[in-house]
Structures are given as C-alpha cells and as structure tokens.
Amino acid sequence: MRQMISQPVTVPADGTELAGDLAVPTSARGVVLFAHGSGSSRHSPRNRAVAAELRTAGLGTLLIDLLTAGEERRDVSTGEHRFDIPLLARRLVAAIDWLEVQSATRDLPVALFGASTGAGAALTAAAERPDRVLTVVSRGGRPDLAGDDALAAVRAPVLLIVGGRDQEVLRLNQEAARRLHAPHTLHVVPGATHLFEEPGALEQVADTARRWCDDRLKAAAELSTAAGGARRGRIPRAHSRV
C-alpha cells in the first residue's frame, strides 16, 4: 500500500485564501487539481471518489474550494459567482502556481479535473499556464464557458467525459470540442445522466480518467527523455501532438 502525505492546506488566491485538501503518495508521478462545479465544494463525493481512484495510480490530488465561505453563502442566494469563469480560473491559476512552490509537488506535472462549470475554469487556466498543465479532464463539464479564445489557446490534451443521457451538455461538449486546437477525446458514458448517479457510471468516469492521465504521463516522460531530459514538471511543446 502506498504511503501518503495527506493534509488540509490553505491556498492564497486572488486576494483571499482557499481551503483545500492535499494528498500526495510517495514517489508521486503527477498531481491532479480539482475544479468543482457550481453549488459544490472540495467535499463533493463524486470528485472525492475520482480522486481516490487517481491516487491508486500514483497521482497526488488537490481538492480546493474555489469560493470562500462568505462567497458561497452569497452565491446560494444570488448565483453571482458560479458562472464567473474569469474569477474561478484566476483562482485555479493561483493554485497551479502554489503547487509549484510546495516541496511535495513542485516537480510534478499538473493535471486539471473540472466538473460542470469547473471545466470551463480549468480550460481557461490551462490556456494561462501551458507549460505547467499536462492535461485537462472534464466530467459532465461546461467547456463552452471557457470561450473561443481560451479553447483555441489550450495546448494540453483534453478528455471530455459526458453522460449519454445528458443530452444538452453532450451537445455543448461536441461544440466546444470543435473549437479546441489541442488533441482531445470525447468519451460518452452510455445511459448516464449529468451526475453519473447510475450504477457503475461514476466508476467508469474514474477508471477512464485514471487511464487517460496515466497515458499522458507516459507520453510526457517519453518526450522528456527524447528531448534529453527536459526539466521535470514542465510540459514540452511537442506534447500537444499526443
């Protein structure tokens, strides 16, 4: 069984502090930063289930609240923050930068996992930090919310996971995929709705995400070796052809 460094953390971001939970296995190969959707938090049981599966593959995970407690309370009644993609993306960028200076994660490539509106924020953050983001995974996400400019600027490979019965979100993902210039895959989970509550649906999401991240890590390692040992944690530009 892998040994694990697991602790609550505070991430400075956008003039405030965000609560998070960081878990990093010994000899970790990468770290996955989770961006939850509207009305959710770092305690999302679906994201936590996926994070647990990713850690079995030697990946660290950071689940953070993208809103402060006060902002979350206001958002419940006003909805003013949940679709504020620039705000959420700035905080994800700050978390990416924070991971780069932590002893347990500074040398690790970063994957972003976005759910619902968090997917739009994750893609925007990936466009802002192309040399740090290994890949982006979206679960039932709204990649369209990133906007055309950010979608076109994303360099990391993108995996879009959508439920087969989540028809409107599936349509939005298909449209966003056509605007991506980076390599991308749309994976449809048959019979699943937006929250993947059907038996076996979330397990398929977690397994698909784990295998995708594992493949991206292997490809990045091969490119780094071929390039003569580029600095670990920086993503070679050629990686966009994976």
Side-chain angles (χ1 to χ4, degrees), residues 120 123 142-155 158 160 171-184:
L123 286 161
R142 290 289 307 276
D144 56 297
L145 294 177
D148 290 350
D149 289 346
L151 288 171
V154 172
R155 197 171 70 201
V158 177
L160 305 169
R171 181 186 66 79
L172 292 169
N173 274 255
Q174 290 168 334
E175 292 179 357
R178 287 193 285 270
R179 302 201 294 274
L180 284 167
H181 294 177
H184 56 274

Side-chain angles (χ1 to χ4, degrees), residues 14 24 49 74 81 90 100 118 133 166 169 174 192 194 196 198 210 220-223 235:
D14 200 35
V24 184
R74 289 195 300 274
H81 297 305
R90 285 197 305 273
E100 192 169 15
V133 175
D166 194 7
V169 171
Q174 290 168 334
H194 186 60
F196 299 91
E198 295 72 22
R210 177 185 54 77
E222 291 170 0
L223 282 170
I235 311 304

Side-chain angles (χ1 to χ4, degrees), residues 4-233:
M4 187 86 60
I5 299 172
S6 183
Q7 59 187 0
V9 296
T10 301
V11 179
D14 200 35
T16 189
E17 293 186 336
L18 306 176
D21 294 316
L22 177 67
V24 184
T26 54
S27 303
R29 305 157 61 215
V31 59
V32 183
L33 170 59
F34 281 75
H36 59 75
S38 60
S40 188
S41 72
R42 74 185 191 278
H43 300 298
S44 161
R46 287 172 290 277
N47 279 352
R48 286 190 170 270
V50 174
E53 177 67 17
L54 293 174
R55 288 193 293 269
T56 68
L59 294 167
T61 58
L62 173 59
L63 295 99
I64 61 170
D65 290 337
L66 295 179
L67 301 178
T68 65
E71 290 169 339
E72 187 63 48
R73 285 193 296 271
R74 289 195 300 274
D75 188 71
V76 169
S77 58
T78 67
E80 63 184 286
H81 297 305
R82 64 186 62 189
F83 289 103
D84 190 344
I85 301 303
L87 169 70
L88 303 178
R90 285 197 305 273
R91 293 181 176 185
L92 282 176
V93 167
I96 293 169
D97 294 345
W98 181 86
L99 286 167
E100 192 169 15
V101 298
Q102 305 307 306
S103 59
T105 57
R106 65 165 60 104
D107 293 324
L108 300 178
V110 177
L112 301 179
F113 187 100
S116 189
T117 54
L123 286 161
T124 303
E128 291 289 327
R129 291 292 185 269
D131 292 328
R132 284 293 291 148
V133 175
L134 172 76
T135 188
V136 180
V137 178
S138 165
R139 171 183 63 80
R142 290 289 307 276
D144 56 297
L145 294 177
D148 290 350
D149 289 346
L151 288 171
V154 172
R155 197 171 70 201
V158 177
L159 172 63
L160 305 169
I161 306 175
V162 186
R165 293 168 57 196
D166 194 7
Q167 295 183 358
E168 178 62 14
V169 171
L170 176 57
R171 181 186 66 79
L172 292 169
N173 274 255
Q174 290 168 334
E175 292 179 357
R178 287 193 285 270
R179 302 201 294 274
L180 284 167
H181 294 177
H184 56 274
T185 294
L186 177 62
H187 179 89
V188 178
V189 179
T193 51
H194 186 60
L195 296 180
F196 299 91
E197 296 174 303
E198 295 72 22
L202 189 61
E203 288 80 1
Q204 184 176 151
V205 170
D207 182 65
T208 301
R210 177 185 54 77
R211 288 186 286 108
W212 174 270
C213 290
D214 187 59
D215 288 345
R216 303 287 76 75
L217 285 164
K218 289 176 180 176
E222 291 170 0
L223 282 170
S224 181
T225 299
R231 179 187 170 192
R232 190 177 174 218

